[in-house]
């Protein structure tokens, strides 16, 4: 499900704060949020976006031809376990891997001061059974950490803006 326009606008704004930033999107989909992210990137910025659905990724690739985007057709679980390159300034975690699963692996790829962004945190009619509990427990987990400063936005689909901090505040 593509992110809404509010989330897109917020992503564009936060990305614009990271000059020459390295951005990671987990779950490209057909590239709607990718296009917003691209809109906030300067010439020196780079976006790595990971998707396991070939058909969706090809839609994004066809519509977003830009030298600053690296499209990765791979399972996010595998990618997160194997990625060893440079860390990122902003992660938009929009798939299970990197959000509800393998959070530590994804968060370890974020630089101190970097943004970790998630949406779809407010109850939706299409949530499967048990998902509300999973969301609540994930939010509690994020709030319990001393290496994260976060704000929960009761706006759009429910967004959390988290910043990684190096030392306990
Ligand atoms: C919420 S949608 C992404 C929407 C997109 N970020 C946007 O805002 O337009 C989640 C995407 O994650 C992809 N996905 C699900 N499981 C995945 C996995 N294991 N590895 C990579 N991508 C996955 C789905 O195919 C889907 O396109």
């Amino acid at each position: 499900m593509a992110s809404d326009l509010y989330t897109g606008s917020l992503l564009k704004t936060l990305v614009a704060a990271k000059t020459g930033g390295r951005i990671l999107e987990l779950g490209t989909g057909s590239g709607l949020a990718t296009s917003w992210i691209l809109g906030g990137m300067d010439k020196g910025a780079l976006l790595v976006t990971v998707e396991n659905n070939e058909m969706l990724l090809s839609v994004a690739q066809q519509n977003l031809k830009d030298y600053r985007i690296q499209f990765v057709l791979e399972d996010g679980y595998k990618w997160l376990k194997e990625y060893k390159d440079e860390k990122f300034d902003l992660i938009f975690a929009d798939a299970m891997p990197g959000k509800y699963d393998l959070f530590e692996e994804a968060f370890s790829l974020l630089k101190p001061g970097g943004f970790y962004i998630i949406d779809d945190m407010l109850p939706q009619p299409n949530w499967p059974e048990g998902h509300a509990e999973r969301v609540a427990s994930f939010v509690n987990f994020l709030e319990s950490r001393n290496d994260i400063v976060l704000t929960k936005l009761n706006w759009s689909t429910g967004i959390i803006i988290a910043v990684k901090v190096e030392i306990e505040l």
Side-chain angles (χ1 to χ4, degrees), residues 16-27:
K18 298 290 185 183
T19 308
R22 291 180 57 82
I23 316 298
L24 172 64
E25 179 182 37
L26 294 165

Side-chain angles (χ1 to χ4, degrees), residues 1-3 25 27-29 32-33 51-52 56 74-77 94-95 97:
M1 200 175 74
S3 300
E25 179 182 37
T28 316
L32 184 59
E51 170 63 52
N52 67 351
L56 288 174
E74 197 168 318
D75 174 42
Y77 291 91
D94 205 20

